[in-house]
Amino acid sequence: MEQPAPIIELRDICVRFQDGKRTVDAVKHVSLNVRKGEIFGIVGFSGAGKSTLVRTINLLERPSEGRVIISGRDVTDLRGKQLRELRRDIGMIFQGFNLIGNATVARNIAFALKAAGVPKQAREPRIRELLALVGLEDKADVYPSQLSGGQKQRVSIARALANNPQILLCDEATSALDLETTEGILSLLRRVNRELGVTVVFITHQLEVAQRIFDRVAVMESGRIVEHGPTFDVFRNPQETVTRGLIEQFLLSYRNVGALLSEETGEAA
Amino acid sequence: MNWQSTLEILQDNLGKALADTFFMVSIATVVGVVFGTLLAIALFLTQHHLFSPNAAVNNVVGFIVNAIRSMPFLILLVVLIPLIQLIIGDPYTPLGGAIALSIAAIPFFARIAENSFTEVDSGLIEAAIATGAPTRQILCDAIFPQALPSFIRGIVLTIISLLGYSAMVGTIGAGGIGDMAIQFGYNRYETGVLIAIVVLLVVLVQAIQWIGDLIARAVTH
């Protein structure tokens, strides 16, 4: 049976920055496909170009070369109204949550609804619906400064899902959260993916996240994708040095935790 | 120092002087904030890579703003007198003073407001753009609410600066408490009047700063 067309297709994407006289190649000839309904991960160490790459999907970064194709449509050169319409169909959440600090939770979510032209009366019920989805029903009139990190990220997710996007981009969404809170957010994202059918593209340097929810994963190093495939295969059988490096770091942190725990309980390691 | 003459002078002149100062500073503040904000928005949008980067516009507007700001107010005042004469006939009036102060206030506040905007976390702006919102909404519903406390402090700073400048328009006879201080306190050696006005100014500035801080804190969440 033929594979349906990918919902996101990046063809030979290059992103170059001018830093004075120097040119920095943040993304070098990256091509990848994301299938509709999957959770696709991009992992790599800091500076690998993951953030820049994910931003080409909603054109926060315009590629210097290459094409971005969303649902079969070449969107690379979109501007103005058409670009804004595209962006309403792609939600995004960030490591730093990026909520409007001087606005209530409800107003933060309303921002996305207003952006899509949802009339005022229709906003309130939708906000309540979204808050219920992320488990923050009673927080509508609270300010972000009164929320924990995990709660802030949930509000971000509610905002990102406000207009029923097909795609959700996550830029290191759990990197600023502790393990337990991370687990909560990942469960929520998994639910959003499985129940609402939202395709998720998640970039991270944390392999524990990858292991937990990614269907397929791509490994990035110095602007290139060096390896990709189903998550289990990539981690069980890493081909590249950088992949092995990531796995080692991941296992090391667990070994350290294990050593710490056994020290505390006086058990043999 | 003759306290009786001090009281007499104050009784006869302070009311009008205060009214004139209030008139000039209010007009200049409103004009400065309104047009300064518009300039600030232009400056901000033309230098931000996610909006409408336009080096040409940014440089031209920036140059004009910098040029006016670089002139000591007294010199700006003298330069503006012929222009004000053209507009209202007699520049040596509170209205003339208000016009001069307004022209000084606009670029002054423009830089302050621009600063408030650029201080807003760029991640927040990125997130706002990612929702597909039009620029107008991003400015009004995301950037401005975040910049509001800083913006208000900027207005307070502007009012207090204008208060100081308004004393200088007094030197060309445009009225106000600065004019009174110079006329009676300096020219006619009525030291009592000078002291009274200085005390009044100190109290006024403290009060304005205090109220401004209160408001800024009230809108910070």
Side-chain angles (χ1 to χ4, degrees):
Chain A
M1 196 178 79
E2 209 184 270
Q3 207 47 270
I7 190 172
I8 302 174
E9 198 185 332
L10 298 178
R11 282 191 204 152
D12 205 32
I13 297 284
C14 298
V15 182
R16 265 172 237 121
F17 296 117
Q18 276 301 117
D19 180 18
K21 287 214 162 89
R22 243 175 11 132
T23 309
V24 178
D25 285 297
V27 177
K28 299 174 197 158
H29 301 285
V30 166
S31 296
L32 58 82
N33 292 347
V34 178
R35 296 179 199 144
K36 189 163 163 51
E38 75 173 337
I39 301 181
F40 188 92
I42 304 176
V43 299
F45 290 111
S46 287
K50 320 185 286 294
S51 283
T52 313
L53 181 63
V54 81
R55 278 167 175 73
T56 59
I57 297 176
N58 62 356
L59 295 168
L60 281 179
E61 285 295 350
R62 231 167 251 283
S64 316
E65 262 178 61
R67 313 310 291 174
V68 179
I69 296 160
I70 311 276
S71 298
R73 180 180 165 217
D74 187 333
V75 300
T76 324
D77 300 316
L78 282 189
R79 276 173 213 282
K81 187 152 181 278
Q82 289 184 308
L83 179 55
R84 290 199 294 273
E85 273 167 14
L86 171 75
R87 284 179 174 152
R88 287 170 211 160
D89 201 34
I90 304 176
M92 189 165 186
I93 62 175
F94 306 81
Q95 177 173 1
F97 322 121
N98 290 339
L99 297 174
I100 304 167
N102 277 340
T104 58
V105 163
R107 289 206 73 160
N108 267 282
I109 300 173
F111 186 89
L113 294 169
K114 187 176 176 187
V118 173
K120 240 184 181 162
Q121 320 91 279
R123 288 180 210 163
E124 228 209 275
R126 179 70 180 141
I127 293 173
R128 264 183 272 129
E129 207 184 316
L130 288 158
L131 286 176
L133 174 68
V134 301
L136 291 173
E137 295 93 333
D138 54 343
K139 301 283 187 206
D141 298 313
V142 162
Y143 285 93
S145 59
Q146 301 163 284
L147 299 173
S148 69
Q151 289 171 324
K152 281 189 243 195
Q153 197 59 293
R154 284 171 189 272
V155 175
S156 300
I157 292 172
R159 176 177 65 181
L161 297 175
N163 298 312
N164 287 311
Q166 294 215 52
I167 299 167
L168 178 64
L169 304 177
C170 309
D171 182 358
E172 302 273 11
T174 54
S175 302
L177 304 171
D178 63 55
L179 234 59
E180 193 186 327
T181 317
T182 297
E183 182 50 49
I185 297 294
L186 294 182
S187 296
L188 174 58
L189 289 175
R190 213 200 196 146
R191 244 191 332 125
V192 164
N193 169 257
R194 300 291 189 246
E195 288 171 26
L196 300 177
V198 177
T199 307
V200 176
V201 179
F202 196 121
I203 68 170
T204 182
H205 63 276
Q206 299 174 309
L207 248 56
E208 39 275 30
V209 172
Q211 176 207 41
R212 180 76 176 78
I213 60 166
F214 292 174
D215 296 322
R216 289 193 303 147
V217 69
V219 182
M220 238 183 133
E221 186 195 19
S222 303
R224 291 184 202 276
I225 301 241
V226 296
E227 188 163 1
H228 68 276
T231 317
F232 188 66
D233 294 346
V234 172
F235 291 161
R236 188 181 47 138
N237 209 3
Q239 302 292 314
E240 299 293 321
T241 319
V242 63
T243 319
R244 267 173 277 175
L246 282 161
I247 296 171
E248 232 171 69
Q249 200 186 63
F250 164 59
L251 292 174
L252 202 67
S253 64
Y254 271 75
R255 233 176 275 147
N256 285 343
V257 171
L260 213 71
L261 288 173
S262 55
E263 246 178 63
E264 282 179 15
T265 60
E267 284 171 16
Chain B
M1 207 157 47
N2 188 340
W3 284 116
Q4 181 154 22
S5 86
T6 299
L7 270 162
E8 263 175 35
I9 295 168
L10 288 175
Q11 246 175 323
D12 290 338
N13 298 284
L14 193 58
K16 171 126 199 336
L18 271 171
D20 287 344
T21 296
F22 182 76
F23 175 76
M24 288 190 284
V25 171
S26 309
I27 292 186
T29 303
V30 170
V31 172
V33 168
V34 169
F35 291 99
T37 304
L38 291 174
L39 276 179
I41 292 173
L43 285 168
F44 175 72
L45 294 177
T46 54
Q47 58 81 35
H48 200 290
H49 73 283
L50 285 171
F51 289 112
S52 324
N54 188 333
V57 171
N58 192 269
N59 288 339
V60 167
V61 176
F63 180 78
I64 297 173
V65 165
N66 294 340
I68 301 178
R69 286 194 80 188
S70 62
M71 277 194 259
F73 182 64
L74 217 46
I75 298 181
L76 179 67
L77 193 55
V78 168
V79 166
L80 287 173
I81 286 178
L83 178 67
I84 300 173
Q85 217 161 16
L86 231 89
I87 303 175
I88 60 165
D90 184 6
Y92 307 113
T93 57
L95 184 59
I99 295 176
L101 285 171
S102 299
I103 293 177
I106 294 171
F108 183 88
F109 190 74
R111 280 298 181 205
I112 292 177
E114 186 199 2
N115 201 49
S116 300
F117 296 150
T118 54
E119 268 177 7
V120 172
D121 182 36
S122 58
L124 168 60
I125 297 176
E126 226 188 4
I129 292 177
T131 64
T135 304
R136 194 156 169 267
Q137 187 192 336
I138 297 177
L139 273 169
C140 297
D141 296 338
I143 296 178
F144 193 71
Q146 272 310 91
L148 194 58
S150 171
F151 198 80
I152 289 175
R153 294 208 167 90
I155 295 179
V156 170
L157 184 66
T158 303
I159 294 176
I160 294 174
S161 301
L162 287 173
L163 209 53
Y165 288 167
S166 73
M168 282 185 245
V169 302
T171 65
I172 61 163
I177 51 183
D179 184 4
M180 201 179 139
I182 294 168
Q183 223 191 65
F184 295 98
Y186 184 69
N187 292 342
R188 297 192 212 169
Y189 305 100
E190 293 282 352
T191 318
V193 174
L194 199 60
I195 294 175
I197 290 178
V198 167
V199 169
L200 182 61
L201 276 169
V202 168
V203 169
L204 211 56
V205 168
Q206 293 292 333
I208 295 171
Q209 187 68 59
W210 184 74
I211 295 173
D213 285 344
L214 220 70
I215 299 175
R217 259 178 291 151
V219 300
T220 307
H221 295 281

